[in-house]
Amino acid sequence: MDPSKTALAASPVRTWGMHLLQAGMVLVVAALPVSIALMNTGLGLAWLGVLLARAPVHKTVGFWWGMAYVAWQIVSRMAGLVEGRDVSGGFGMMYTWTGLCLAQVAFSGQSSGAALARRWSVRLLLFSTGAAVLVALGQFFIGHQGSARPLRISPGGTRFGHGTGFFAIHLTFGVMMMMMILVALGGALRTWSGWRTWGWILGGLATVGLVFSMGRLSFVGIAVGGAALVAAFGRRYFLRAVLAGLAMAMIAGVVLATLQPTRFEKMLRFEDGRWPIWKTSVTMAAQHPVVGIGSSRAYRSAYLDLYDVVNPSIPNEFPKGAPHAHNAFLSLTAEHGLPALVLWLALLAVVLRALHAQAATHPQGWRTGAALVAGFLAAGLFEHLAGDGESCHALWTLLGACLASFPDHDHA
């Protein structure tokens, strides 16, 4: 069953609603390497299109698991509100996952509208990735200065540090480039653009961006994601997957040692400021295991109360409170309780199960999805990617696109 066609009568309102849904998702995909404001705008337009078209989003893979994930976040925030905490902040986790469902509806089917949306989404993604990489190169070689908006390029800034592209921090840019590489290698969207060399160009550009992002978590993510992609070919490829992961990790280590020797040496000595943050977050999660602390704002306040107790001899790197646990699993648990983490992982598992069910006939979708999830989870060990709006938009929308690459798949 194709969710883009189910129960849609041929009325002008519904037709224009579907066009709006598709245009919105094209904007989301094109904006992934560029702007969260444009991603949110595209998602908003897509949801307006869903309402006008009365599209069966509720029949897509993962919809009800996502709704359960949102419901538990609401329970967590209400519990925090009752206890007098600030439960604002971190609302992106409540809606970015819907890109998974909207992409399935927008890009599925053999209609001219769906084909046009698929083609232009990946073509524009290629151009926006190229633009982001050019900006990052300028930041790296000319100088990076946060106040030099909009491109943050300034001769008076820091040279040879890292590139952030159009984003504020290099970690977000690195994760975006990591996912672009995995999408290009996985091949699920290769036929969408109509250009035979699309994947090679996207992968090459994103590789340059990844290197100059200097995001160590993205280097870990690309090694694990690449290994998962090879392993997705079957059990016989397990050894090759391990070797591929080790090779990518070694290459990443050489790059980091060459361009950032000081940071590389600290990494080898396990001198990372995340250790006291993780210890504090574990204590916080243990104190509120079911509903969590309530929000990212509440986390910051609770962090200040607990840090000196948990780490009496280590100076606090965040005197105003850490924004999150710098780990997706710990952050979700500390902020919204263990059930939120379980539901988030269940949503990912449901998507992977759907992709694996089609592996025999559509192996590229399974490989790409497995690589994206593995890379995201690995990189998420070192940053709260589950709460990073840009990263979540990319993960869920690209996974939805992988599912939509199967026009005959039953999404019910």
Side-chain angles (χ1 to χ4, degrees):
M1 181 183 63
D2 181 350
S4 66
K5 297 179 180 180
T6 303
L8 294 184
S11 69
V13 173
R14 290 190 173 185
T15 298
W16 281 105
M18 181 56 67
H19 290 332
L20 184 59
L21 164 60
Q22 291 165 339
M25 292 311 297
V26 168
L27 178 57
V28 172
V29 174
L32 292 180
V34 177
S35 166
I36 191 171
L38 289 177
M39 297 179 217
N40 287 333
T41 299
L43 199 69
L45 292 175
W47 268 110
L48 179 59
V50 166
L51 295 176
L52 293 175
R54 288 185 245 174
V57 176
H58 63 286
K59 294 185 177 181
T60 56
V61 171
F63 178 81
W64 292 112
W65 282 100
M67 291 299 292
Y69 176 53
V70 172
W72 192 259
Q73 290 182 61
I74 293 173
V75 170
S76 170
R77 291 177 188 274
M78 291 180 65
L81 188 63
V82 169
E83 295 187 8
R85 302 192 189 100
D86 182 355
V87 296
S88 59
F91 291 110
M93 293 190 294
M94 302 183 74
Y95 67 84
T96 50
W97 67 271
T98 63
L100 166 72
C101 304
L102 298 181
Q104 292 175 61
V105 179
F107 298 131
S108 291
Q110 300 299 327
S111 68
S112 58
L116 192 65
R118 290 194 294 267
R119 182 162 61 249
W120 280 105
S121 62
V122 295
R123 287 185 177 185
L124 292 175
L125 176 62
L126 179 61
F127 286 117
S128 60
T129 300
V133 171
L134 283 176
V135 171
L137 289 174
Q139 294 165 344
F140 188 87
F141 289 105
I142 298 174
H144 185 285
Q145 184 172 312
S147 60
R149 301 292 182 87
L151 301 182
R152 299 181 173 86
I153 299 176
S154 172
T158 302
R159 297 177 65 195
F160 310 122
H162 52 243
T164 65
F166 292 99
F167 300 117
I169 60 175
H170 69 291
L171 298 180
T172 298
F173 178 62
V175 169
M176 286 296 185
M177 294 300 101
M178 174 195 78
M179 286 193 274
M180 295 305 108
I181 295 171
L182 294 176
V183 165
L185 291 175
L189 313 185
R190 187 170 296 148
T191 61
W192 284 27
S193 68
W195 298 338
R196 297 182 63 181
T197 58
W198 175 85
W200 290 106
I201 298 173
L202 178 66
L205 288 171
T207 299
V208 174
L210 177 66
V211 169
F212 289 99
S213 74
M214 289 292 104
R216 290 173 293 176
L217 78 166
S218 301
F219 293 162
V220 174
I222 196 65
V224 175
L229 193 153
V230 176
F233 278 85
R235 295 179 180 178
R236 294 181 300 167
Y237 290 84
F238 179 77
L239 180 58
R240 299 181 195 181
V242 173
L243 294 175
L246 291 175
M248 290 183 185
M250 292 177 63
I251 293 171
V254 170
V255 169
L256 186 61
T258 303
L259 299 178
Q260 297 283 339
T262 302
R263 295 177 66 196
F264 182 72
E265 291 175 5
K266 287 185 176 180
M267 182 181 70
L268 293 180
R269 293 195 300 264
F270 294 97
E271 295 178 3
D272 196 307
R274 290 179 175 86
W275 288 112
I277 300 173
W278 289 346
K279 288 177 63 179
T280 306
S281 301
V282 168
T283 302
M284 191 185 307
Q287 292 178 351
H288 308 274
V290 180
V291 294
I293 204 72
S295 72
S296 57
R297 295 281 179 86
Y299 175 92
R300 186 186 294 268
S301 177
Y303 180 88
L304 285 177
D305 295 335
L306 285 173
Y307 185 89
D308 290 336
V309 176
V310 179
N311 306 283
S313 61
I314 304 176
N316 187 356
E317 185 180 349
F318 297 93
K320 295 183 179 180
H324 47 70
H326 288 71
N327 177 292
F329 307 94
L330 282 177
S331 292
L332 270 175
T333 306
E335 292 177 18
H336 299 296
L338 188 59
L341 174 62
V342 172
L343 289 169
W344 182 67
L345 292 173
L347 179 57
L348 289 171
V350 166
V351 173
L352 288 178
R353 184 180 64 179
L355 289 168
H356 187 261
Q358 296 291 327
T361 53
H362 302 283
Q364 295 88 353
W366 159 240
R367 295 168 195 160
T368 306
L372 284 170
V373 172
F376 193 89
L377 292 178
L381 291 171
F382 307 98
E383 188 70 8
H384 185 17
L385 296 187
D388 182 64
E390 294 90 343
S391 302
C392 285
H393 269 300
L395 174 69
W396 296 119
T397 300
L398 292 173
L399 286 176
C402 289
L403 285 165
S405 65
F406 312 139
D408 297 324
H409 180 62
D410 185 351
H411 292 281

